[in-house]
């Protein structure tokens, strides 16, 4: 892939990974991704902004060589140190032997860990800058977007912001600019939900920090480079980071997976109990619910009730998938409860309760287990659970 100039003396020199379909085990990458590295040249020195995933190093080096002798690289700025951007650092340092690695203070130990050796890292923070000769790298701390060491780098002379993974997307298109590639709105949102969402407060803080910068181009570490309507992209993030408004009534979501309809009946009774106690309730069948599409709703809820039948001594897969998706959400202080029907062992309820506690929900009401076909007594117990769960929110 050839270098692409995005501003005078600033080139994209990254790698395109068209074939990847699962990123970091947990994310889909249906349109592939890119590992964006940039070369910034001034009149007296030049810098790399991050590197690329290790297996792309050879083509990456070839691209760099079309612009500069790697031995002439003076700085390698690591806006953060995840291996998709730092995986080539060691080999790059072998080529650029006089280059100094630049990172936030938090990045130093990670860099040493990536290289498995000691190294003299130049640490930078808010207000620090490096003059490359008519081109200045300014550094902005942006911790937890999405790692503790994350920082942004800004080239004021050309209005180019390198915000690391922030505002990125897993989307590959060799045209690289937002006004040239196909629609990648879905990829932006998916990326936000999986990478930035757990750190909304930090995202707002960072956007406040950069609000007055004269930004003309946003060059993230993945996906298209943004150079049109930057207010739209930042506005999206502002909206996605917004805290959902509280309603007048407690909001309870009831989720279930049911093999023969018994756990479904329990879910309906839990919902009835919640309504009787004054809650607004929505019931979701996890066999047909994409939790990724209701993350805002989950975050806005006051309580979650989760039911699963027990099969092979465990909660069923759609329930575990749902419980796994809770990891990126702010749930502390919400209430949770579990219920489920079973044949002979009934472990699902216990496992659901453990998981709800692990993602910081309080579990104020003991779960309800019903053996074989549910009866009126079981359903009444579920109704009571719904009432008590709602009551714990009101308390
Ligand atoms: Fe794209 Fe956090 O690495």
């Amino acid at each position: 892939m050839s270098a692409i100039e995005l501003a005078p003396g600033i080139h994209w020199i990254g790698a395109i990974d068209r074939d990847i379909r699962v990123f970091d085990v947990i994310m889909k990458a249906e349109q592939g991704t890119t590992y964006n590295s940039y070369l910034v040249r001034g009149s007296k020195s030049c810098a790399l902004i991050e590197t690329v995933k290790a297996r792309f190093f050879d083509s990456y080096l070839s691209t760099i060589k079309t612009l500069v002798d790697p031995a002439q690289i003076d700085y390698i700025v690591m806006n953060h140190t995840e291996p998709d951007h730092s995986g080539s650092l060691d080999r790059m340092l072998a080529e650029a032997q006089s280059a100094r690695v630049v990172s936030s203070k938090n990045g130093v130990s990670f860099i040493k860990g990536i290289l498995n050796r000691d190294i003299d890292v130049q640490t930078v923070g808010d207000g620090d800058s490096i003059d490359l000769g008519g081109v200045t790298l300014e550094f902005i701390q942006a911790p937890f977007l999405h790692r503790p060491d994350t920082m942004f780098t800004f080239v004021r002379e050309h209005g180019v912001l390198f915000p690391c993974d922030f505002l990125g997307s897993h989307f590959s298109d060799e045209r690289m600019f937002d006004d040239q590639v196909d629609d990648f709105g879905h990829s932006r949102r998916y990326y936000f939900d999986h990478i930035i969402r757990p750190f909304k407060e930090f995202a707002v803080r960072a956007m406040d920090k950069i609000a007055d910068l004269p930004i003309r181009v946003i060059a993230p570490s993945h996906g298209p480079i943004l150079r049109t309507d930057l207010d739209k992209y930042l506005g999206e993030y502002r909206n996605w980071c917004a805290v959902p408004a509280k309603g007048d009534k407690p909001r309870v979501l009831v989720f279930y997976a049911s093999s023969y309809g018994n756990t479904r009946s329990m879910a309906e009774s839990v919902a009835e109990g919640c309504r009787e106690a004054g809650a607004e309730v929505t019931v979701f069948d996890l066999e047909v619910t994409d939790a990724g599409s209701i993350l805002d709703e989950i975050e806005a809820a006051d309580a979650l009730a989760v039911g699963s039948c027990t099969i092979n001594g465990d909660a069923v897969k759609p329930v575990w998938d749902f419980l796994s998706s809770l990891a990126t959400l702010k749930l502390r202080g919400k209430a949770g409860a579990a219920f489920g029907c079973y044949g002979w062992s009934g472990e699902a309820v216990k496992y659901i309760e453990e998981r709800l506690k692990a993602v910081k929900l309080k579990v104020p009401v003991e779960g309800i287990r019903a053996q074989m076909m549910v009866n009126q007594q079981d359903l009444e117990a579920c109704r009571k659970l719904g009432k008590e769960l709602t009551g714990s929110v009101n308390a």
Side-chain angles (χ1 to χ4, degrees):
M1 182 78 193
S2 304
I4 300 171
E5 187 169 45
L6 51 140
I10 302 180
H11 287 80
W12 176 90
I13 48 165
I16 295 189
D17 192 348
R18 291 179 188 82
D19 300 328
I20 191 170
R21 288 295 176 268
V22 178
F23 188 89
D24 268 6
V25 183
I26 58 166
M27 290 179 77
K28 293 179 196 162
E30 285 164 357
Q31 273 93 17
T33 194
T34 66
Y35 309 105
N36 297 340
S37 174
Y38 303 92
L39 180 70
V40 182
R41 285 182 290 178
S43 61
K44 61 179 187 185
S45 46
C46 68
L48 289 181
I49 308 294
E50 304 203 309
T51 68
V52 297
K53 200 172 189 177
R55 78 182 175 88
F56 293 91
F57 178 74
D58 291 335
S59 63
Y60 173 62
L61 185 62
S62 300
T63 306
I64 291 173
K65 283 179 175 174
T66 65
L67 297 171
V68 67
D69 175 356
Q72 302 303 311
I73 292 169
D74 302 282
Y75 300 97
I76 303 177
V77 176
M78 298 308 299
N79 277 338
H80 87 331
T81 46
E82 229 179 345
D84 51 329
H85 309 292
S86 61
S88 291
L89 180 60
D90 204 10
R91 291 180 70 188
M92 196 63 235
L93 284 169
E95 301 286 336
Q97 294 197 357
S98 56
R100 294 205 73 185
V101 177
V102 179
S103 81
S104 66
K105 281 196 182 80
N106 288 338
V108 175
S109 62
F110 296 128
I111 287 168
K112 290 177 181 176
I114 285 283
L115 298 174
N116 270 324
R117 61 185 155 85
D118 202 8
I119 178 175
D120 182 23
V121 176
Q122 179 172 338
T123 59
V124 291
D126 284 335
D128 290 336
S129 62
I130 294 175
D131 178 12
L132 302 179
V135 177
T136 315
L137 305 179
E138 297 179 15
F139 303 100
I140 301 153
Q141 297 302 299
F144 295 102
L145 295 177
H146 60 119
R147 288 169 62 102
D149 54 324
T150 301
M151 64 179 190
F152 300 168
T153 302
F154 183 56
V155 177
R156 186 173 291 272
E157 290 83 351
H158 300 300
V160 179
L161 180 72
F162 302 102
C164 197
D165 287 325
F166 195 67
L167 292 161
S169 53
H170 287 316
F171 189 88
S172 66
D173 186 320
E174 60 190 22
R175 291 169 291 184
M176 280 310 296
F177 288 108
D178 61 343
D179 52 324
Q180 296 178 348
V181 304
D182 295 333
D183 178 33
F184 63 110
H186 172 75
S187 301
R188 287 198 303 280
R189 177 68 207 236
Y190 183 83
Y191 192 87
F192 171 87
D193 280 339
H194 286 78
I195 299 292
I196 303 298
R197 184 181 193 110
F199 307 103
K200 284 182 179 178
E201 304 90 345
F202 292 94
V204 170
R205 221 173 287 163
M207 284 189 283
D208 289 345
K209 257 183 169 179
I210 63 172
D212 294 329
L213 294 181
I215 302 170
R216 296 202 291 273
V217 179
I218 295 175
S221 298
H222 295 287
I225 297 163
L226 314 175
R227 64 180 180 184
T228 61
D229 202 355
L230 303 186
D231 287 345
K232 178 183 88 172
Y233 299 120
L234 290 163
E236 282 178 347
Y237 263 46
R238 288 273 183 195
N239 289 336
W240 297 338
C241 289
V243 177
K246 276 274 177 207
D248 295 337
K249 295 179 171 181
R251 182 98 184 93
V252 183
L253 306 183
V254 180
F255 299 90
Y256 72 90
S258 182
S259 52
Y260 292 102
N262 292 291
T263 302
R264 181 174 62 234
S265 297
M266 296 175 80
E268 287 162 357
S269 291
V270 170
E272 277 175 31
C274 294
R275 288 191 191 99
E276 285 168 17
E280 278 183 359
V281 187
T282 308
V283 180
F284 297 90
D285 178 352
L286 288 172
E287 257 189 87
V288 293
T289 300
D290 171 18
S293 67
I294 55 166
L295 296 180
D296 284 334
E297 245 184 289
I298 296 169
E299 227 166 37
D302 298 292
L304 311 178
V306 183
S308 177
C309 49
T310 295
I311 296 181
N312 293 328
D314 205 347
V316 293
K317 185 173 183 299
V319 173
W320 278 120
D321 288 346
F322 167 72
L323 293 171
S324 169
S325 74
L326 300 180
T328 61
L329 304 183
K330 289 268 177 268
L331 302 173
R332 188 183 291 279
K334 298 185 193 302
F339 57 92
C341 189
Y342 66 98
W344 66 91
S345 55
E347 291 89 342
V349 168
K350 179 181 72 170
Y351 293 149
I352 292 168
E353 287 179 335
E354 286 172 357
R355 175 62 180 167
L356 293 177
K357 289 175 186 169
V359 291
K360 313 291 188 220
L361 278 83
K362 55 185 179 179
V363 179
V365 190
E366 192 177 338
I368 305 293
R369 304 185 327 142
Q371 190 167 21
M372 301 303 284
M373 304 301 283
V374 293
N375 57 31
Q376 275 311 313
Q377 200 178 340
D378 299 321
L379 297 180
E380 187 49 45
C382 288
R383 192 174 290 112
K384 184 163 175 279
L385 177 142
K387 283 183 184 171
E388 290 178 1
L389 182 67
T390 305
S392 77
V393 169
N394 289 324

